[in-house]
Amino acid sequence: MLILQRMATSSSFISTPLLKASSSFPTHFLSPLKHCVSAPSTEFRALALYRNRNGVSTSSAAVATETQVSTQDDKLKETQKEKSDKLEKVVLPTNESSESLLRIRHTCAHVMAMAVQKLFPDAKVTIGPWIENGFYYDFDMEPLTDKELKRIKKEMDRIIGKNLPLIREEISRDEAQRRITALNEPYKLEILDSIKEDPITIYHIGNEWWDLCAGPHVEYTGKINRKAVELESIAGAYWRGDEKKPMLQRIYGTAWESEDQLKAYLHFKEEAKRRDHRRLGQVLDLFSIQNDAGGGLVFWHPKGAIVRHVIEDLWKKIHIERGYDLLYTPHVAKADLWRISGHLDFYKENMYDQMNIEDELYQLRPMNCPYHILIYKRRPHSYHDFPIRVAELGTVYRYELSGSLHGLFRVRGFTQDDAHIFCLEDQIKDEIRGVLDLTEELLLQFGFSKYEVNLSTRPEKSVGDDDIWVKATSALRDALDDKGWSYQIDDGGGAFYGPKIDLKIEDALGRKWQCSTIQAS
């Protein structure tokens, strides 16, 4: 028998007519009395009264025609739309599609580190990679301000303008250690210890600065377009991602091949900010995260609860129609259950500490799987019973570092659409295909029609016999082929207990988000 698991994790605008004050009196005397609409001219009139020195009441009309307002608004909207359309037509390259862009970003990280150390000689350097939309570098130094960020960018521009060569040098490990020690760079010594290959490669920027690095880089700093580089933000980051180690200052930057690409990227960021669910959650009064309760714990407000209720009702209806039985299970269980399931061995860093209750250890659940298996095991089953499909909107709790929390996307407590299918070996392909169809149906309900599909195979740390892994992986592959979806192999990306199909959905801005997972074990 095999077990299948599936998991998933309007604005109104008020337009006010323009009022043009008469030049015969100051605007602070204007007191609107009424709006009069004249059919032939469609004028909006605002009448105002004031007293002059002699106590004589005088009236003055402030008039703006609807046609004028409409024309001005239309021109403004048309200009904005043309600008927006132009930016949206710019095709942004990626690190994968453009090696020159990758080189630019990597070199920008080095140039930024050089600029920081010129301005702040006591700053210690750590690592500075290229990332999806730019680069970052981590420094051990005093916290930076936005004003200092501008100084750093100005110094970067100066370095770029000098058109300094990027020179690769190979040295022995002992020589690298000697040079790093002379510079008093303790983090670089730690990085050197983690490098297994010899000789050690370093990159110089002219003869003014160097760093441990394997490349690649541009040939000269002048190859970077200064107007296509921008420093974006400062954040705290623990060294090596370990909260017990020093907190570093991380500077994020973005870099592109041209100024037009940078403008298009910044436009994309503004659109993303406008659609940011954290902002919309506040504006629409849907949800909040209360500091008094703790980070990563979501409070659904009345309006948000209605939205959630509608979604959950739809979810229940579709699952019942598809032959699933609904479950409700506890939020906590004996720690022994998580030891038997393997979670304590493979997932402990994401679990909360255990609680001692009447001399027994209990633990908040990070997943629902063991509960569903307990329900399955409550009685013997005939082969006539299969397939058995169960589903739950189960609330789980996972420990996340405070620095990684992000709105509803990265939380410490969330409700997960979680289903398990217990089936015979000859049923598995059809059941997986059914799950793929169900997943597609649910995603289409919310307008998601573009996916990236990955088949994730056995990781280095795993449980189970080789035979089960081979059969489960083959079944997932066969179902994908039968569905006709194109997919990529994510070698070693499976869960510790089984291979899986991962779906990343694409949003309105073309960003991809991990959403649905189908596992076999």
Side-chain angles (χ1 to χ4, degrees):
M1 186 195 73
L2 288 168
I3 305 172
L4 297 181
Q5 181 187 15
R6 179 182 55 76
M7 296 180 291
T9 50
S10 91
S11 302
S12 60
F13 299 92
I14 299 173
S15 178
T16 307
L18 296 175
L19 299 179
K20 185 177 180 180
S22 167
S23 59
S24 61
F25 58 89
T27 57
H28 65 266
F29 285 116
L30 280 173
S31 175
L33 297 181
K34 60 182 178 179
H35 284 131
C36 302
V37 180
S38 171
S41 61
T42 60
E43 289 180 339
F44 289 99
R45 297 181 182 271
L47 302 179
L49 299 178
Y50 76 99
R51 288 188 181 276
N52 63 15
R53 290 181 184 176
N54 299 321
V56 178
S57 295
T58 311
S59 68
S60 176
V63 180
T65 68
E66 188 181 67
T67 305
Q68 289 172 331
V69 174
S70 177
T71 302
Q72 290 170 349
D73 284 349
D74 288 346
K75 284 182 179 178
L76 181 61
K77 288 177 182 176
E78 189 176 332
T79 302
Q80 290 174 337
K81 188 176 185 304
E82 285 176 2
K83 182 180 177 182
S84 178
D85 288 346
K86 182 181 176 183
L87 290 172
E88 287 173 5
K89 286 177 182 176
V90 176
V91 178
L92 292 178
T94 65
N95 294 328
E96 291 73 27
S97 68
S98 173
E99 187 182 343
S100 65
L101 178 61
L102 184 149
R103 289 173 179 268
I104 286 168
R105 288 172 172 171
H106 195 185
T107 305
C108 279
H110 281 228
V111 169
M112 181 173 71
M114 176 178 171
V116 167
Q117 289 201 306
K118 281 188 174 294
L119 296 173
F120 306 94
D122 293 334
K124 303 299 180 188
V125 290
T126 61
I127 57 170
W130 68 83
I131 53 177
E132 183 180 3
N133 291 313
F135 58 93
Y136 73 78
Y137 211 109
D138 289 346
F139 303 91
D140 190 349
M141 62 188 300
E142 292 298 313
L144 292 163
T145 64
D146 289 339
K147 186 177 179 181
E148 287 164 332
L149 215 57
K150 292 176 182 176
R151 287 181 61 205
I152 294 167
K153 176 59 167 65
K154 190 174 181 180
E155 180 63 22
M156 287 178 67
D157 290 345
R158 191 187 68 80
I159 295 167
I160 292 168
K162 291 176 73 174
N163 199 27
L164 298 171
L166 276 290
I167 304 165
R168 185 176 187 272
E169 182 185 8
E170 292 184 355
I171 57 177
S172 68
R173 186 173 295 273
D174 289 342
E175 175 63 14
Q177 188 170 25
R178 186 189 67 77
R179 293 189 192 183
I180 294 169
T181 303
L183 290 174
N184 189 25
E185 292 283 6
Y187 297 98
K188 288 298 177 186
L189 280 176
E190 190 174 329
I191 293 170
L192 179 64
D193 289 340
S194 68
I195 298 173
K196 304 303 179 186
E197 300 82 12
D198 285 310
I200 304 300
T201 60
I202 63 175
Y203 268 86
H204 298 262
I205 299 180
N207 59 2
E208 300 181 31
W209 191 87
W210 62 269
D211 198 0
L212 289 172
C213 186
H217 289 282
V218 297
E219 295 171 336
Y220 296 89
T221 58
K223 295 275 187 180
I224 300 168
N225 184 338
R226 284 175 286 187
K227 293 183 178 180
V229 179
E230 186 167 299
L231 298 186
E232 297 185 284
S233 61
I234 308 162
Y238 291 111
W239 171 235
R240 299 294 198 189
D242 187 342
E243 61 185 331
K244 295 177 183 176
K245 292 184 177 179
M247 172 68 78
L248 307 174
Q249 294 294 298
R250 175 172 294 179
I251 303 176
Y252 285 100
T254 188
W256 300 88
E257 295 166 327
S258 69
E259 189 177 358
D260 281 347
Q261 288 178 5
L262 174 62
K263 288 178 179 178
Y265 166 72
L266 295 176
H267 172 71
F268 171 89
K269 274 187 66 177
E270 283 302 311
E271 287 297 303
K273 191 184 296 182
R274 195 164 63 86
R275 291 170 166 84
D276 192 319
H277 75 281
R278 294 169 297 179
R279 186 186 73 84
L280 294 174
Q282 286 188 332
V283 171
L284 301 176
D285 194 23
L286 300 177
F287 69 89
S288 63
I289 294 171
Q290 302 289 333
N291 290 331
D292 289 344
L297 302 172
V298 181
F299 287 73
W300 291 97
H301 302 177
K303 292 177 183 177
I306 290 172
V307 173
R308 178 168 169 167
H309 173 72
V310 171
I311 293 172
E312 289 180 354
D313 272 2
L314 173 67
W315 178 90
K316 291 173 185 175
K317 177 177 177 290
I318 291 175
H319 277 75
I320 290 170
E321 288 173 352
R322 292 268 184 168
Y324 286 81
D325 292 319
L326 304 186
L327 303 178
Y328 292 94
T329 57
H331 292 207
V332 66
K334 290 180 180 179
D336 228 26
L337 181 64
W338 305 110
R339 180 186 58 77
I340 294 168
S341 69
H343 286 86
L344 282 179
D345 290 328
F346 295 93
Y347 205 71
K348 188 175 182 179
E349 68 275 9
N350 296 107
M351 298 173 69
Y352 280 98
D353 289 343
Q354 296 172 359
M355 301 171 280
N356 191 320
I357 301 174
E358 297 179 349
D359 296 327
E360 283 194 289
L361 294 176
Y362 283 76
Q363 201 148 17
L364 285 170
R365 66 175 176 186
M367 295 186 186
N368 304 301
C369 320
Y371 293 85
H372 293 190
I373 292 170
L374 285 179
I375 290 176
Y376 168 78
K377 289 170 61 179
R378 75 191 187 280
R379 62 178 177 82
H381 296 279
S382 162
Y383 73 92
H384 293 295
D385 297 332
F386 298 107
I388 297 170
R389 306 184 187 104
V390 295
E392 177 181 15
L393 291 171
T395 301
V396 296
Y397 303 90
R398 297 178 184 176
Y399 173 67
E400 299 280 358
L401 292 173
S402 57
S404 67
L405 299 175
H406 180 82
L408 298 179
F409 289 158
R410 200 72 178 267
V411 291
R412 287 173 170 162
F414 61 96
T415 300
Q416 183 171 264
D417 162 12
D418 205 351
H420 289 81
I421 300 173
F422 301 86
C423 63
L424 303 176
E425 193 172 323
D426 61 356
Q427 297 171 328
I428 188 168
K429 179 184 171 183
D430 289 340
E431 288 302 313
I432 295 173
R433 173 60 196 270
V435 173
L436 293 176
D437 292 342
L438 171 58
T439 301
E440 183 176 41
E441 180 183 355
L442 281 166
L443 292 177
L444 285 173
Q445 294 280 344
F446 298 93
F448 295 111
S449 58
K450 296 180 181 178
Y451 330 115
E452 176 187 301
V453 183
N454 292 299
L455 175 57
S456 303
T457 60
R458 188 173 190 171
E460 191 174 327
K461 289 180 66 178
S462 61
V463 295
D465 297 334
D466 292 345
D467 182 52
I468 293 293
W469 276 89
V470 170
K471 287 180 179 177
T473 305
S474 296
L476 292 174
R477 183 183 287 108
D478 290 346
L480 281 172
D481 291 338
D482 188 55
K483 179 69 175 171
W485 281 352
S486 59
Y487 59 92
Q488 298 173 335
I489 301 294
D490 178 12
D491 194 27
F496 70 85
Y497 48 83
K500 59 181 181 172
I501 296 169
D502 288 319
L503 266 73
K504 292 181 180 178
I505 57 174
E506 187 175 304
D507 67 14
L509 294 175
R511 299 171 299 182
K512 291 178 180 175
W513 304 93
Q514 173 64 46
C515 188
S516 303
T517 296
I518 299 104
Q519 298 174 340
S521 57

